[in-house]
Amino acid sequence: MQAPMPTAFESPLVVVSNRGPVSFLRGADGTLVGERGSGGLVTALAGVLFESDATWLAAAMTDADREVAATGRSIEVEPAGRAAFVDIDPARYDGYYNGIANRVLWLMHHYLFDLAYLPAWDMETRQIWNDYREVNQTFAKALDAERDRDPVYLVQDYQLSLVPQMLREMQPGARIAHFTHTPFSGPTYLRLLPVGMREELLRGLLGADILGFQSERWAENFLLSVRDTLRDVRVDVRRKRIDIDGRRVLVRAYPIALDPGPLRRTSGSAEVKQLRRELGAWRGDAKLLLRVDRLELSKNIVRGFHAYDSFLVEHPEWRGKVKFLSILPRSRTEIPEYQTYAERSLEAAAAVNRRHGGEGWTPLEVRTEEDYLGAVAAYGLYDTMLVNPIFDGMNLVSMEGPLVNKRHGALALSVNAGAYGRLGRHAIALNPFDVAETAEAIHTGLTMPEEERTRRARGLMRSVLASSPTRWLTAQLRDLDTVRGVARRQREVLEDGPLGFNGESAALDEFDGGLHRGDADDERD
Ligand code: F6P
């Protein structure tokens, strides 16, 4: 008799993303020194995946990563995971990453093309699409090399859209989930792509058994895009599934969540406490308005600065009484659109200071260096945090801030951030294109009565803690078993095991106590 297929819960996990959870450098003494990878995906997933005995493959970013890749081995990552690297030809990587991933797919999924002029596809587009295809193929081969362990493959994000179908062709029986961390643009906008690219992109994703998105809105956009583009597949929008090549694909929302533990530990560290003291001294008696974002187009930084300018015009009584700290590490600096956007953002910031500053008061400070600890320190002290992305898959900053803020700070949040679904009712909603409304949201946040601030801050924290990265992963594995027909009873027994939900209520209890502990901590600071 043939052995039953193991459940997803008892199978090894192989994760793949472009940027990995760790990257290596050679220390002065020649030893390998690991550094945590940056970005929302890593922040959200590293904990749960490495606790779950996963192997995580990513592109080699440094010479030391390439050395590791050359050994063909993986490296242990605490507490229970392994990291491995895929060495990609630098010439191909440029077309794949800077070209297609960041100039085409990122701009498309966030609706950022300047449509009067761009896109204008040319022969170079075809070439870089070929690079994208080749690099996706390299990743798929690296995943296929794991086939003897019969793992569950968890493919992450828009850089690797073609991997599921490529892997499916290598291993027709593979169990594959793909998760998109960005928005997914809808059928009309997707029609901007050359028709061949559009079809290849959708078919590439449809190689998976499960397609995960951050919100229902993006999942529905995917379903409608497939219905609009591919004639030979059956799309059931209501049941959120697609039948293709005799297989069923589930298209679902699995909103990602934060693991509160590491962030709270960082926030409570001696280094962050010191940074908080310094920041407190810099702020003085003023209220603190904060934003923390990568310096990048989808974050809507220019309109955010215009809104602050408008707030100061409409409410001159706030002159000298508020400071806007914008922590905006530079991102994707090799790409012209991103360079131009960074320049325009900094110009808009300078204009605010020229127009309103003086008499010892600088209304806006922009910090463009990478400074995670500085950001965590600032989370502790804001009175209002502005999160106004044009569109955003989820937005983890809007969850991190409320988790460690010590002043019952208000959150002014774009309705186009995936996080709005979870946090919206406790936040001050804003349309990211409405500068006047954003200015008013800043004012509402800064003048909100203490009782309301406290109620909303507690609501935000509860909403952040109501989910967890474990739940994100478990829901996908459960659906993978469902779509592959693995016995329900066997699964239920296993779900009580290491990936069960048992830790969550404890986390909430800890939070309720934590708010008070945080306040005390602030006084000590
Ligand atoms: O938002 C999705 C995401 O993959 C994040 O993890 C990350 O912040 C970003 O996109 C990719 O950034 P980078 O191009 O710097 O790797």
Side-chain angles (χ1 to χ4, degrees):
M1 207 174 80
Q2 216 185 1
M5 182 192 278
T7 68
F9 291 87
E10 58 191 341
S11 302
L13 302 179
V14 173
V15 188
V16 62
S17 62
N18 175 63
R19 196 181 287 280
V22 63
S23 188
F24 289 92
L25 296 171
R26 281 265 169 223
D29 59 355
T31 54
L32 283 178
V33 183
E35 284 197 337
R36 178 183 176 279
S38 62
L41 186 159
V42 168
T43 307
L45 302 189
V48 63
L49 290 171
F50 283 145
E51 275 161 26
S52 317
D53 190 14
T55 301
W56 192 328
L57 269 77
M61 300 276 173
T62 62
D63 287 344
D65 292 350
R66 276 178 213 103
E67 284 173 40
V68 176
T71 66
R73 300 220 186 93
S74 57
I75 288 195
E76 255 178 58
V77 182
E78 296 212 336
R82 305 197 70 81
F85 296 102
V86 184
D87 195 357
I88 313 260
D89 170 7
R92 292 248 181 241
Y93 191 84
D94 183 53
Y96 146 85
Y97 177 75
N98 289 321
I100 294 297
N102 293 337
R103 286 187 85 182
V104 177
L105 298 181
W106 184 271
L107 300 186
M108 186 183 70
H109 286 318
H110 293 87
Y111 301 86
L112 289 169
F113 288 121
D114 188 1
L115 284 187
Y117 306 98
L118 294 170
W121 310 122
D122 55 15
M123 286 314 292
E124 198 200 330
T125 317
R126 270 72 182 168
Q127 278 161 19
I128 59 176
W129 181 250
N130 202 35
D131 293 335
Y132 183 78
R133 193 189 280 133
E134 288 290 324
V135 173
N136 272 247
Q137 186 76 13
T138 306
F139 275 108
K141 278 189 195 144
L143 293 176
D144 188 43
E146 304 281 331
R147 70 160 71 195
D148 290 349
R149 300 160 62 205
D150 191 17
V152 163
Y153 292 107
L154 300 173
V155 183
Q156 305 303 308
D157 235 350
Y158 61 99
Q159 299 96 342
L160 304 179
S161 306
L162 306 183
V163 165
Q165 179 57 21
M166 290 170 167
L167 186 56
R168 176 76 54 212
E169 281 161 20
M170 295 168 192
Q171 282 183 59
R175 288 169 295 166
I176 308 170
H178 183 283
F179 191 83
T180 298
H181 293 260
T182 60
F184 194 89
S185 73
T188 306
Y189 210 74
L190 211 68
R191 278 174 174 248
L192 297 178
L193 284 184
V195 66
M197 274 169 61
R198 176 160 51 116
E199 282 198 30
E200 202 175 334
L201 185 79
L202 296 173
R203 285 190 197 282
L205 287 165
L206 284 168
D209 300 289
I210 301 283
L211 288 173
F213 295 89
Q214 297 279 27
S215 79
E216 296 292 346
R217 198 170 165 190
W218 318 136
E220 187 175 290
N221 275 354
F222 179 81
L223 287 157
L224 296 174
S225 300
V226 174
R227 194 169 71 181
D228 186 56
T229 307
L230 306 178
R231 297 280 156 224
D232 58 331
V233 303
R234 250 189 63 222
V235 180
D236 188 332
V237 176
R238 196 172 60 79
R239 292 197 179 84
K240 301 173 194 161
R241 63 194 195 198
I242 294 175
D243 291 338
I244 179 170
D245 299 338
R247 294 184 299 111
R248 172 151 295 172
V249 182
L250 301 185
V251 181
R252 300 282 151 90
Y254 306 98
I256 214 161
L258 265 189
D259 178 359
L263 178 61
R264 284 188 172 154
R265 282 194 289 280
T266 305
S267 176
S269 67
E271 211 173 339
V272 170
K273 280 184 179 170
Q274 175 58 26
L275 289 170
R276 234 176 1 244
R277 272 191 287 272
E278 288 166 19
L279 200 57
W282 171 82
R283 179 197 58 190
D285 294 334
K287 296 273 185 192
L288 181 65
L289 175 65
L290 175 70
R291 76 174 302 147
V292 177
D293 280 306
R294 289 181 305 129
L295 185 42
E296 179 268 300
L297 291 79
S298 73
K299 303 301 181 188
N300 208 17
I301 293 156
V302 173
R303 284 195 195 84
F305 289 161
H306 288 165
Y308 184 55
D309 177 84
S310 170
F311 156 75
L312 290 173
V313 170
E314 295 296 322
H315 301 284
E317 70 278 11
W318 278 92
R319 286 172 190 227
K321 295 190 179 141
V322 58
K323 286 188 175 176
F324 187 1
L325 175 62
S326 291
I327 301 181
L328 301 170
R330 290 181 187 273
S331 173
R332 302 176 186 163
T333 47
E334 288 172 37
I335 305 175
E337 286 88 341
Y338 294 69
Q339 288 164 0
T340 307
Y341 192 75
E343 280 163 24
R344 290 190 59 180
S345 300
L346 298 178
E347 276 163 23
V352 170
N353 283 333
R354 267 197 312 275
R355 186 169 183 194
H356 300 284
E359 295 169 26
W361 176 57
T362 307
L364 171 53
E365 175 156 324
V366 179
R367 301 183 182 173
T368 56
E369 63 279 10
E370 190 70 59
D371 183 13
Y372 178 66
L373 296 184
V376 175
Y379 286 155
L381 293 188
Y382 68 80
D383 297 284
T384 296
M385 184 162 71
L386 177 63
V387 181
N388 66 325
I390 287 173
F391 286 98
D392 210 332
M394 176 54 73
N395 194 292
L396 290 177
V397 166
S398 65
M399 299 187 201
E400 288 178 331
L403 209 53
V404 292
N405 181 263
K406 297 169 186 300
R407 295 170 65 85
H408 301 138
L411 176 67
L413 180 61
S414 164
V415 295
N416 288 344
Y420 188 81
R422 189 178 290 157
L423 307 179
R425 77 199 163 94
H426 309 294
I428 304 160
L430 62 91
N431 170 349
F433 305 100
D434 190 337
V435 173
E437 186 186 51
T438 306
E440 243 352 86
I442 292 171
H443 183 249
T444 305
L446 292 175
T447 54
M448 190 178 280
E450 183 55 32
E451 196 189 324
E452 185 180 351
R453 303 171 74 77
T454 308
R455 185 167 43 77
R456 287 190 189 234
R458 290 182 70 83
L460 286 168
M461 231 199 267
R462 283 189 171 277
S463 301
V464 171
L465 291 171
S467 194
S468 70
T470 301
R471 181 174 287 190
W472 174 84
L473 177 60
T474 308
Q476 288 173 79
L477 297 182
R478 185 194 299 123
D479 283 353
L480 198 50
D481 280 345
T482 303
V483 77
R484 298 300 292 261
V486 175
R488 172 176 278 273
R489 278 213 15 246
Q490 189 186 3
R491 205 176 62 223
E492 278 166 1
V493 171
L494 286 157
E495 270 183 45
D496 285 338
L499 290 176
F501 294 126
N502 307 342
E504 285 181 27
S505 54
L508 254 174
D509 292 348
E510 192 196 324
F511 157 65
D512 276 341
L515 192 62
H516 301 296
R517 277 204 298 277
D519 289 346
D521 180 48
D522 195 32
E523 276 170 32
R524 278 201 307 276
D525 282 359

